[in-house]
Amino acid sequence: MRKTIRLSLERSNEKIFLRAENLTNPVAPVEFATTAPFSTNPISPNTGHFTVFGQGGACTVSRITVLNKEIIGPTTLFLGDSKTFGYGSSSIKTTYPGILGSMYNDICISAGFGDKTQDILDRIDELLALKPITVVLSIGSNDLRFGVSDTTFKANYQSIVDQFTAIGTRVIHLSPSYEDVLDLTDQYNWIKANFTPFIDVFYIIKQAGNLYSDKIHWSVTGNKWVANAIADSNLLEGRITTNEYL
């Protein structure tokens, strides 16, 4: 006899929740919760590509629905790649968006490992639907890292900015940051010359101790310095505390 099972999977930062319900023969649902690893082999959020795997028998997937529970109209949307996600930090609370989340009202984060400008464009409708007041944009290093042409990168970056500006969202540009393994000087110079407001963190990350061990991402200390640079710019709205972290 075939049974209909409804599976619900939800992720909120490091917390993952699973619920299974038997719709054919209703019984108490099975629920499971766990904490995803962060500091060691972190599981990054999926920012747009969803996959269903079957294990232990055949099944038919009749429908899949993906929902976003982010607040509508957040004060600030932090938009970027694994640096914005916080790879190299010890927990979500020690990432620069996490630190700023304790200082400002109503923030949300959209960032994934390896994300390029095209990945943001692929989910731009979802992001625009959030109607953020401000976007802090930090994207581009993976375009260079994975061979995206400079022409394509610039066109994609401009398109992201234009689409947010068209709905009345202010875009703050967080500069490319120093890496030991990749020269981002050209991207840095182009964004600095063409977009405002611009928050410069390139040389902050270049200081000793601010890079993570992979020489790409930011250490806990580096994230604190970036958070302070953004706070000190006085560009974000909704501040609820004047705490400084360094």
Side-chain angles (χ1 to χ4, degrees), residues 157-174:
Y157 194 99
Q158 185 70 64
S159 178
I160 293 166
V161 175
D162 289 346
Q163 292 189 66
F164 276 112
T165 302
I167 66 167
T169 296
R170 180 181 60 160
V171 179
I172 297 172
H173 304 268
L174 194 64

Side-chain angles (χ1 to χ4, degrees), residues 112-155:
F113 285 17
D115 274 14
K116 302 180 290 295
T117 52
Q118 185 60 52
D119 293 295
I120 291 178
L121 290 174
D122 287 345
R123 63 182 189 276
I124 195 70
D125 289 343
E126 174 188 340
L127 297 169
L128 295 173
L130 295 175
K131 300 179 181 179
I133 295 172
T134 298
V135 165
V136 177
L137 181 61
S138 175
I139 196 71
S141 64
N142 289 319
D143 288 68
L144 181 59
R145 199 181 321 277
F146 299 124
V148 176
S149 72
D150 189 56
T151 300
T152 298
F153 158 71
K154 290 178 178 178

